[in-house]
Amino acid sequence: MHFDDTSGEPLFRQVANQLNEAIIAGIYKEGEQVPSTTEISTAYRINPATVLKGMNLLVDRGLLEKRRGIGMFVAAGARRRAGDDRRDEFLSVEVARFVAEAKRLGIGADELKAIIERGYAS
Amino acid sequence: MNETTIKAGARPSSRGNAHATSGGAYGRTRQFRLALVRCLTLYAVVFAVAVIVLAVLTYQRYRAMILLPNGLSGDVNVERILFPMLFVAALVWQWGFFATLLCHGVSRRSFVGVSAIGATAISLAVSMVIVAARYPLIVLGGDVRMVCAKAIGGCLPSDMFKAPLSEQFLYAWQEVGSTQTVCDGSTCSIEGGTATYSPMLQSGWLFMFLKFLSLMLAATALGMLVGAVLAWAAGRGVWTLGVVAGLGWGLFSMRFDMAYGVAGVIGEPWLATWLIGAASGRVGSLAAGSGVDFGTYIVWIPLVESLVLFALCVLIVSRLTSRREIRPGRGRLG
Amino acid sequence: MTLAIRDLTKTFRKGGAPALDHVNLTLKPGIHGLFGRNGAGKSTLLGVIANRLLPTSGVVELDGADVRDNEDAQGRITLVNETLPFMAAVRTTAILKREERYYGGLDWAFAVRMLTAFGVEPGTAYSQLSLGQRQIVRLAAALSVPVDVLLLDEPVNGLDAANRERFYRFLLESYGERPRIIVVSTHIIDEVAQVVERAVILDKGRIVDAFDADSVASRATVLVGDGSRIRAFVEADGLQVIADERIGRLASVTVRGPVPMRDIPEGVVASGLGLQDYFIRVTGVTGVDGDAAVDPINRDAAGGAIGGAGDAAVAPDPADAVAESERRSS
């Protein structure tokens, strides 16, 4: 994991994203316990409140579940859902940003399309 | 890593819980207790050093007297040694120990309280030990410089150390003239001789103790005061500290001359004279025949004077300390 | 567990500029970063909380009780700063034992583990330790005593980069085990940006801003683009300018708060700021009106106008802005 203070993205969201990626990659398998807030906090030198905020984001999305007094576990079906979430985010946010930037640079839709298709072909 | 217990009090030696039981009553907090222990420890060290120094000096004196009985003057003057020692100890405590204690949560009020208690304790302890060591020698030897007893298999000098100012109070009055007379017993009068001695008072030991105590109280009170004033000056910068220290040293080296001079300018110096005279406890004197000088000594006068001085010093110290700060930029001086 | 600083003013010399000027701040459990330039009043603030300095006016309260000369409260507060309260000729274990007595407990396992991690043998004499190691001993003691308020004034001074990182880990671990009010003042802001939960920025004795550290990106927005276009936009939207740098026609204007993406005019790029950059802009040297006809070469690199570029800025917090400009003109 790597956290960047200057990226402009709130740190807790970075924590959530990184855990999300780890779940997609299968580093934390469904039903497995993820590291505790303190463990992540000390290992990456991030305030525990921030870590918790990021984890709660995943709890809200149903990717993690709290077990009282034990810790956080990867929920059943989390990997698939995490992949879906990531996909949604890519399509709604990153592609939109990408298109906006292309527009700003005066790249036409056809030109962009051609480039994308070339990328897929290779 | 996931332990959430606070390990306060995990060791049997740790005292109480953090802050629930102290209740805030003055003098009963953990900090007050610890500060008092620290103050008494410092004074205990000073006391031990004082005893060692006096023992060494007395032993040297003893060796000298064995070699030349009656041939040497200059007994070990306990008062002259202990007064500056306690003065310096109180000064060091007041100036140097404040920062450490304040940094550990001791309040300014507790610090002053502890200082006063510590000063009283060391004064009492020193006075008791000195009187307990010296009084039997006086009783055994009177003014005779040799104590002769079967138990020690002969005679030993009794005057190896003395507390001259305090010992005057053993008697209602005493010869202070120049004649040195060898004489036996606690009450001594030489028929047809040159000197007459007062009989030793029944509670003379108490008067001696009180006079010694008042001297020690004055030493610690002045030490505290000077320590607090120096700390105050240091808090205002190195220059102020220098000026105050220089002024203090100048006054000290001039002793009372300056005080007399100032008093003389303001008005009659009788007040200064009276105060210093009263500190000696000597309220009256008369000259008897043969040029023998008799003085009357009342212990309550110097005692009350010392107590007033002590209270006054503690009051000033408390005022100065209540505004005392530890400013990071000033290092450890203030 | 609440530490409330109310209207705190501290003046060192009569008639002199106040080191703290009517500071109001409420601290709850959490790791707080206290940031300010040299002489901003950080050490003074921590000193007053720890009763080493006395307030000129105002009060510091721990759970409602005035902490001034209050042993109950001070038994719950500890401060590590450049004042060295240890006599040199003692062993580190003796130092820890003393701390244990004064604060009513000590987490020995944690303290020993921390000292060992930094290569300090617990039995060593304090006088034989290097400057950095002495700092470690004091930090280990402070982290191990059961206080509710832990104040660390420049804790990583004298520590190398690896040791600084190691220290932050121990700090976070200690906080994780026992959440309490921790205040860390430091100049190395980038390093603690992720460690602190809240940031408090102090400038010339006043609190300039206090906010959740992870929301720093929305505290301010940098707009880069054509100067006149940005200026028009800033005026139209009533944005408060924090800093303003320009090179010819190209302007880099920092405004308070987030700016919605859709509002941003064509040809202007907007971005958030990291904690350190935000700090520099908020506390940067000023004195020049942030308006056009200023020779860019004569301006401080970190410069820009705080509190308003001319009449353009409409401060959301007018009191702040007025006080700011008053202070500046005095």
Side-chain angles (χ1 to χ4, degrees):
Chain A
M1 287 191 219
H2 172 76
F3 300 97
D4 184 5
D5 168 49
T6 55
S7 70
E9 176 147 36
L11 201 58
F12 72 94
R13 218 177 283 277
Q14 291 187 45
V15 171
N17 289 345
Q18 301 266 350
L19 280 171
N20 203 27
E21 293 299 329
I23 290 170
I24 293 171
I27 295 170
Y28 303 124
K29 300 202 168 52
E30 287 171 21
E32 260 184 23
Q33 186 170 9
V34 294
S36 74
T37 318
T38 312
E39 275 172 311
I40 296 179
S41 161
T42 28
Y44 296 99
R45 287 169 291 114
I46 298 175
N47 191 280
T50 309
V51 176
L52 195 64
K53 216 162 148 189
M55 282 185 159
N56 281 336
L57 217 61
L58 297 191
V59 171
D60 291 345
R61 279 196 229 149
L63 301 182
L64 293 181
E65 52 189 27
K66 275 181 204 166
R67 289 190 202 157
R68 253 199 134 71
I70 308 174
M72 296 269 196
F73 289 78
V74 181
R79 189 171 179 183
R80 191 177 43 76
R81 239 172 308 137
D84 291 349
D85 285 354
R86 183 73 191 87
R87 191 185 144 89
D88 287 349
E89 194 202 335
F90 175 74
L91 290 176
S92 62
V93 181
E94 284 170 38
V95 173
R97 196 183 296 152
F98 173 72
V99 171
E101 181 68 7
K103 264 173 143 176
R104 200 176 71 81
L105 297 173
I107 303 168
D110 292 336
E111 195 182 341
L112 201 59
K113 204 169 141 194
I115 296 166
I116 291 169
E117 277 169 355
R118 225 180 300 141
Y120 270 99
S122 66
Chain B
M1 203 171 228
N2 288 323
E3 270 182 78
T4 47
T5 44
I6 300 169
K7 285 165 200 153
R11 280 167 59 108
S13 65
S14 67
R15 299 171 188 224
N17 58 355
H19 38 259
T21 50
S22 47
Y26 179 65
R28 278 202 241 140
T29 56
R30 181 180 62 229
Q31 288 97 332
F32 185 91
R33 220 172 41 235
L34 289 165
L36 186 59
V37 168
R38 207 164 162 71
C39 181
L40 293 179
T41 309
L42 170 76
Y43 281 132
V45 170
V46 170
F47 181 76
V49 170
V51 167
I52 291 167
V53 166
L54 289 176
V56 169
L57 288 174
T58 307
Y59 179 71
Q60 283 182 337
R61 177 77 189 141
Y62 163 77
R63 299 286 302 176
M65 288 179 92
I66 294 278
L67 291 173
L68 282 167
N70 298 320
L72 284 171
S73 62
D75 312 304
V76 177
N77 188 331
V78 175
E79 288 157 349
R80 194 167 283 173
I81 291 165
L82 283 179
F83 193 95
M85 275 187 101
L86 290 203
F87 175 85
V88 169
L91 189 157
V92 165
W93 166 258
Q94 203 64 36
W95 192 0
F97 281 71
F98 176 77
T100 314
L101 291 171
L102 197 75
C103 287
H104 284 89
V106 177
S107 73
R108 294 169 175 82
R109 215 162 56 119
S110 286
F111 181 71
V112 174
V114 162
S115 306
I117 294 174
T120 312
I122 182 69
S123 303
L124 279 169
V126 165
S127 306
M128 282 194 280
V129 168
I130 295 300
V131 172
R134 175 66 180 140
Y135 183 69
L137 287 180
I138 297 170
V139 172
L140 284 173
D143 203 44
V144 181
R145 300 208 160 229
M146 305 298 286
V147 178
C148 305
K150 274 189 185 156
I152 42 177
C155 295
L156 279 176
S158 72
D159 254 357
M160 294 174 292
F161 67 96
K162 62 176 183 182
L165 292 175
S166 309
E167 284 169 23
Q168 295 173 317
F169 290 82
L170 281 169
Y171 313 94
W173 35 269
Q174 193 196 345
E175 185 267 350
V176 280
S178 56
T179 317
Q180 298 294 332
T181 319
V182 177
C183 165
D184 197 8
S186 57
T187 57
C188 178
S189 68
I190 305 292
E191 306 296 331
T194 50
T196 309
Y197 293 84
S198 157
M200 205 181 283
L201 295 168
Q202 210 167 20
S203 40
W205 62 272
L206 178 66
F207 299 150
M208 178 186 169
F209 168 76
L210 290 175
K211 172 60 188 174
F212 201 92
L213 178 65
S214 58
L215 270 174
M216 295 300 109
L217 282 175
T220 49
L222 290 172
M224 276 197 287
L225 180 69
V226 172
V229 168
L230 287 178
W232 169 83
R236 295 181 66 91
V238 181
W239 283 105
T240 320
L241 175 65
V243 169
V244 168
L247 214 65
W249 185 250
L251 272 173
F252 178 73
S253 53
M254 281 185 250
R255 304 291 158 87
F256 295 110
D257 303 354
M258 184 83 161
Y260 276 115
V262 170
V265 170
I266 298 167
E268 285 296 303
W270 65 267
L271 184 68
T273 317
W274 186 85
L275 275 173
I276 293 160
S280 71
R282 183 177 171 136
V283 289
S285 61
L286 56 105
S290 326
V292 178
D293 191 16
F294 293 103
T296 311
Y297 295 90
I298 308 288
V299 77
W300 308 114
I301 297 168
L303 184 67
V304 167
E305 233 182 33
S306 277
L307 290 176
V308 168
L309 177 73
F310 193 84
L312 207 66
C313 287
V314 169
L315 187 75
I316 299 168
V317 165
S318 126
R319 282 288 167 85
L320 288 174
T321 307
S322 73
R323 307 208 56 79
R324 197 166 161 188
E325 296 185 328
I326 307 172
R327 297 186 183 178
R330 301 232 188 267
R332 297 216 47 171
L333 269 183
Chain C
M1 209 191 285
T2 308
L3 187 73
I5 296 150
R6 297 188 209 287
D7 211 28
L8 188 67
T9 298
K10 173 69 184 172
T11 313
F12 283 108
R13 270 172 295 118
K14 268 199 187 108
L20 292 175
D21 193 0
H22 299 282
V23 168
N24 281 289
L25 190 65
T26 302
L27 301 177
K28 294 273 187 191
I31 303 180
H32 305 261
L34 179 63
F35 307 120
R37 303 183 57 194
N38 295 324
K42 305 183 297 293
S43 297
T44 306
L45 178 60
L46 299 181
V48 172
I49 295 171
N51 193 35
R52 299 188 191 181
L53 299 170
L54 297 166
T56 306
S57 69
V59 68
V60 179
E61 289 176 345
L62 180 58
D63 292 334
D66 189 347
V67 302
R68 177 176 174 158
D69 264 335
N70 177 342
E71 291 181 340
D72 282 349
Q74 290 303 329
R76 298 169 59 193
I77 299 173
T78 192
L79 163 64
V80 176
N81 70 357
E82 62 180 359
T83 310
L84 294 166
F86 300 137
M87 298 287 175
V90 284
R91 299 198 172 279
T92 48
T93 37
I95 288 169
L96 292 175
K97 267 183 195 143
R98 186 201 299 174
E99 300 301 295
E100 179 180 32
R101 283 197 301 273
Y102 276 101
Y103 291 101
L106 190 114
D107 185 340
W108 280 90
F110 182 89
V112 169
R113 192 153 52 79
M114 180 165 166
L115 289 178
T116 314
F118 282 93
V120 179
E121 284 290 318
T124 329
Y126 190 65
S127 54
Q128 297 194 331
L129 298 175
S130 72
L131 218 60
Q133 286 178 318
R134 290 181 189 193
Q135 179 74 352
I136 289 301
V137 172
R138 303 168 69 219
L139 290 170
L143 283 175
S144 309
V145 289
V147 291
D148 293 334
V149 180
L150 173 60
L151 309 170
L152 305 173
D153 193 359
E154 301 284 353
V156 294
N157 258 10
L159 301 189
D160 63 43
N163 274 346
R164 289 203 294 269
E165 192 174 310
R166 194 171 286 140
F167 165 70
Y168 298 133
R169 280 183 218 274
F170 276 101
L171 176 70
L172 284 162
E173 186 194 324
S174 170
Y175 174 76
E177 281 181 10
R178 193 157 44 87
R180 54 205 190 274
I181 300 169
I182 298 180
V183 183
V184 181
S185 100
T186 179
H187 289 301
I188 312 178
I189 298 172
D190 267 347
E191 282 186 0
V192 291
Q194 302 177 355
V195 173
V196 300
E197 190 178 337
R198 274 183 74 75
V200 176
I201 297 181
L202 205 59
D203 191 35
K204 300 194 175 95
R206 284 173 164 268
I207 301 235
V208 182
D209 204 355
F211 53 92
D212 282 340
D214 67 3
S215 70
V216 64
S218 60
R219 297 307 289 180
T221 310
V222 184
L223 303 167
V224 179
D226 180 71
S228 55
R229 200 177 291 180
I230 291 177
R231 184 173 177 184
F233 169 61
V234 164
E235 273 183 37
D237 275 33
L239 300 170
Q240 188 194 348
V241 175
I242 300 172
D244 185 345
E245 294 167 68
R246 51 187 73 188
I247 305 163
R249 282 171 57 80
L250 183 69
S252 168
V253 178
T254 310
V255 295
R256 203 174 279 284
V259 177
M261 272 298 193
R262 58 186 149 72
D263 291 0
I264 291 163
E266 196 92 359
V268 173
V269 179
S271 59
L273 281 173
L275 193 54
Q276 181 152 315
D277 287 326
Y278 177 62
F279 168 79
I280 291 169
R281 291 215 178 28
V282 176
T283 61
V285 180
T286 56
V288 216
D289 221 31
D291 238 317
V294 184
D295 180 3
I297 296 158
N298 288 337
R299 301 186 59 184
D300 189 18
I306 298 186
D311 310 319
V314 181
D317 190 351
D320 240 344
V322 169
E324 197 98 324
S325 57
E326 272 175 5
R327 216 163 22 73
R328 248 156 250 294
S329 57
S330 65

